[in-house]
Amino acid sequence: MTNQDLPKLAFIGLGVMGREMALHLAGAGYPLSVFDISSAAADAVVAKGATRCESVAVAVKDAEIAISMLPNTPQVDDVVNRDGVLANMKSGSIFIDMSTISPEATRAMGAALAGQGITMLDAPVSGGPIGAKNAALSIMVGGDRAAFDRAEPVLRVMGTTISHVGAPGAGQTVKLCNQLVCAINIQAVCEALALGRASGVDLSQMRDVLLGGSASSWMLEKLGPAMIAGDAGAGFRIDLMLKDLRLVLEMAGQNDVALPGTSLVTAQYVEARAHGEGSNGNQALFRVYDRMTGQDASRLPVMENQS
Ligand code: NAD
């Protein structure tokens, strides 16, 4: 049941993450208008009481708070500058972008919106589709503190750790630093498993031992079993991490910071994608090591019949 005492919301981008997040908002009773370029993406949220809109402009025009959860910077820029957020949101409203995009582009959009009296918050998330489904996302927010205070009850419906981390763009900056740590950590786990395998140790036992000591990590715990089993399937996609690593390197260039570790692991993600791993989970980075160590079953030489 919609509670008309709650602020009117709009949600743009109902993909893997956005759909789950919007479902929680509808479930909490918020009046919710939704739009996605794929109409079918909105079906589940509409079934839960949200209003399907034919455009961004229609979705956001009465919203006190509009949220976007889109693939990358160009899509958010289109939604803000071309499709109607800037031209249609009311003065005094808040636009929250929860996608992972460029901090610099975020600041430029925020400045344009501020010119119309609209406050932008950048609020990227960590926790993936499971965190989104369980309303357990970690949300890092940059932008005006008073707008954050107004938006916080809405963010609390989708996440458990909600942190205001600074000025406009700071949320995206923290998120990109998070991604840098994740990617290099995945690479470290791959490298240890590749060396352990080549040396003939039992990898499951090695993982157990490492988890009990100072080499323990979230990636070793969560992705290690799939790497050991050669299961490249679902999870946070290689394509998405590559997109994030490119944003990290772009930000590093703008700030004149050398990131040799990030540069190396980005090249490995490019290699993974070139081998058709883009839709696989991040544990598929281990297949780069399969290929580098000659363990890739599809590339092993086929033995001629000797008889
Ligand atoms: P997704 O591709 O599943 O969903 C994006 C949705 O946006 C799609 O439904 C698409 O149709 C819609 N869309 C694209 N362009 C649009 C436009 N111009 N107007 C309206 N709708 C449009 O992506 P996702 O996995 O939900 O990720 C969204 C964001 O969240 C990305 O920035 C991603 O990096 C970030 N993120 C994803 C994960 C994850 O595990 N998937 C985790 C943390 C953060």
Side-chain angles (χ1 to χ4, degrees):
M1 272 290 283
T2 302
N3 180 347
Q4 297 302 330
D5 293 335
L6 291 171
K8 286 197 172 82
L9 305 183
F11 206 109
I12 315 295
L14 302 156
V16 171
M17 298 291 290
R19 184 177 315 131
E20 301 296 339
M21 294 157 70
L23 279 170
H24 292 305
L25 295 172
Y30 282 93
L32 181 64
S33 297
V34 296
F35 174 75
D36 192 293
I37 45 171
S38 153
S39 180
D43 288 352
V45 190
V46 170
K48 201 140 186 190
T51 304
R52 190 193 308 271
C53 297
E54 68 198 19
S55 67
V56 172
V58 173
V60 303
K61 72 178 171 30
D62 294 324
E64 192 170 317
I65 298 178
I67 297 172
S68 59
M69 194 54 171
L70 297 160
N72 202 353
T73 311
Q75 291 80 22
V76 180
D77 197 62
D78 283 349
V79 161
V80 170
N81 289 309
R82 185 193 70 186
D83 299 341
V85 168
L86 181 65
N88 291 276
M89 282 193 85
K90 293 176 296 199
S91 177
S93 61
I94 300 174
F95 173 66
I96 311 177
D97 177 43
M98 302 188 75
S99 333
T100 305
I101 68 164
S102 153
E104 193 185 41
T106 295
R107 284 189 284 271
M109 286 182 242
L113 289 164
Q116 300 298 315
I118 305 159
T119 306
M120 179 169 179
L121 297 173
D122 47 305
V125 308
S126 175
I130 294 174
K133 193 174 180 56
N134 296 335
L137 292 169
S138 175
I139 307 177
M140 45 221 107
V141 188
D144 179 69
R145 177 78 214 197
F148 170 78
D149 291 341
R150 259 174 74 200
E152 194 181 354
V154 174
L155 299 176
R156 287 235 163 264
V157 174
M158 300 178 278
T160 44
T161 308
I162 321 291
S163 313
H164 182 254
V165 294
Q172 295 295 354
T173 300
V174 171
K175 169 68 181 179
L176 293 182
C177 291
N178 179 81
Q179 296 307 82
L180 174 169
V181 172
C182 290
I184 295 177
N185 190 241
I186 292 168
Q187 182 203 35
V189 172
C190 290
E191 218 152 290
L193 291 175
L195 183 60
R197 176 173 62 187
S199 313
V201 297
D202 181 300
L203 294 184
S204 293
Q205 194 184 25
M206 181 173 103
R207 173 177 164 273
D208 289 345
V209 172
L210 266 54
L211 284 176
S214 55
S216 180
S217 74
W218 193 97
M219 294 302 170
L220 179 63
E221 185 190 344
K222 309 285 186 203
L223 300 188
M227 288 179 185
I228 293 167
D231 170 8
F236 183 65
R237 300 195 302 275
I238 288 275
D239 270 345
L240 281 179
M241 182 61 98
L242 180 54
K243 182 242 340 169
D244 292 350
L245 289 170
R246 286 178 164 147
L247 290 170
V248 173
L249 291 174
E250 184 184 296
M251 185 171 76
Q254 287 156 355
N255 289 281
D256 214 10
V257 174
L259 297 177
T262 305
S263 300
L264 176 57
V265 77
T266 302
Q268 292 182 327
Y269 274 86
V270 170
E271 197 269 8
R273 193 156 86 146
H275 281 86
E277 315 271 13
S279 301
N280 289 335
N282 267 243
Q283 73 276 8
L285 197 74
F286 193 51
R287 287 155 67 128
V288 174
Y289 285 82
D290 285 349
R291 290 185 281 274
M292 288 196 299
T293 55
Q295 298 289 319
D296 180 6
S298 67
R299 286 171 171 253
L300 292 177
V302 179
M303 299 299 289
E304 296 294 329
N305 188 338
Q306 302 291 317
S307 60

